[in-house]
Amino acid sequence: AHGLPLAWIANRCAIVSTALCVCALMSHIRFRETQRVLWAIVTAFVFSVALGFGEYALCGFGYFAGYELVVRREPWRVRLIALASTALPSLVYGMLWILLDCGPRHSGLYLAPNTDPLHFVLAIAQRVPVMYADLVLAVRSEFWTFGFPWGPLLHQKGWVSEAWLWSLEPWRRVHGFIGGGALVLWIVIVRATPRTVPYRNVRWLLIGSLMSVLPIVGSFPS
């Protein structure tokens, strides 16, 4: 999980952004438990700095939403207002992204919702199951990008066709099917997790993990 950000210097910002996002999440929980506005301000500031290090912080928003969805019992209006400390920085970040005309173009690896919205939406259906396969069943998402490493061995044994040697598509179809099964398994796990207090953290963290992959579909699955 940490090998690529450590080895690829330009990707080390992901670790910093994620660490700050975790700090913001801790601050948000403290705010909700104590109802002290100071912690909401701290949350907004730290989350904004996390966004400054990279769009990876947007993945963390799913955990904030999962916490409000599962743990809190106030009216929906109160819970939505509580999310403002992270939703507003995210909105400002997105507006600046568009106004400054940021985002990759003509890249075989990256898609940006503001420069290539159609392909970004199509990538959600294609890449999200791949991420779920990795998240739930540990089927490496890199296989979708670089190919299934045991394809030649399986072909040698006569278990797969020759197309597995020169095309990524046969494995990608299988990978998508595995991802769909992983999503079903994830739903079963969430529904089977007791709603009582000792297990409540498990439920909202599971929901946060599901939503966390949505912002990164613009990147190659990894």
Side-chain angles (χ1 to χ4, degrees):
H2 303 290
L4 188 59
L6 288 173
W8 185 8
I9 295 177
N11 193 224
R12 292 183 184 177
C13 58
I15 297 178
V16 182
S17 179
T18 303
L20 289 170
C21 192
V22 171
C23 292
L25 182 59
M26 295 168 62
S27 177
H28 178 76
I29 295 173
R30 182 68 61 87
F31 159 62
R32 298 295 277 132
E33 291 177 346
T34 64
Q35 296 299 312
R36 295 182 60 185
V37 179
L38 176 61
W39 286 112
I41 297 174
V42 172
T43 300
F45 174 76
V46 176
F47 191 76
S48 298
V49 177
L51 285 169
F53 276 94
E55 68 274 17
Y56 310 97
L58 294 174
C59 302
F61 184 78
Y63 289 94
F64 291 87
Y67 176 81
E68 294 294 333
L69 179 66
V70 174
V71 178
R72 307 308 303 184
R73 290 293 181 264
E74 296 96 337
W76 284 108
R77 177 175 174 273
V78 175
R79 286 187 265 183
L80 290 174
I81 292 175
L83 282 174
S85 58
T86 50
L88 290 179
S90 300
L91 181 61
V92 171
Y93 181 86
M95 292 175 61
L96 288 174
W97 182 275
I98 294 174
L99 292 175
L100 297 177
D101 200 23
C102 297
R105 286 176 174 80
H106 312 299
S107 170
L109 296 179
Y110 296 97
L111 299 169
N114 61 316
T115 59
D116 201 356
L118 177 59
H119 287 93
F120 186 87
V121 172
L122 294 176
I124 293 177
Q126 187 179 50
R127 298 179 181 182
V128 165
V130 174
M131 300 299 291
Y132 289 160
D134 198 334
L135 188 68
V136 180
L137 299 175
V139 178
R140 294 287 299 276
S141 53
E142 283 83 358
F143 295 166
W144 189 92
T145 304
F146 302 111
F148 187 63
W150 296 286
L153 178 62
L154 296 180
H155 173 67
Q156 185 179 7
K157 291 179 176 295
W159 295 350
V160 298
S161 66
E162 186 179 352
W164 284 63
L165 301 179
W166 51 266
S167 174
L168 294 174
E169 292 309 313
W171 164 250
R172 286 183 173 180
R173 287 193 292 269
V174 174
H175 206 157
F177 180 78
I178 295 173
L183 178 58
V184 173
L185 177 60
W186 180 92
I187 294 173
V188 171
I189 293 173
V190 172
R191 292 185 62 87
T193 303
R195 297 177 182 269
T196 52
V197 173
Y199 300 95
R200 197 165 56 188
N201 285 336
V202 176
R203 290 180 62 86
W204 74 263
L205 287 170
L206 282 170
I207 292 174
S209 70
L210 178 72
M211 293 187 286
S212 69
V213 304
L214 296 177
I216 56 172
V217 296
S219 173
F220 60 93
S222 175

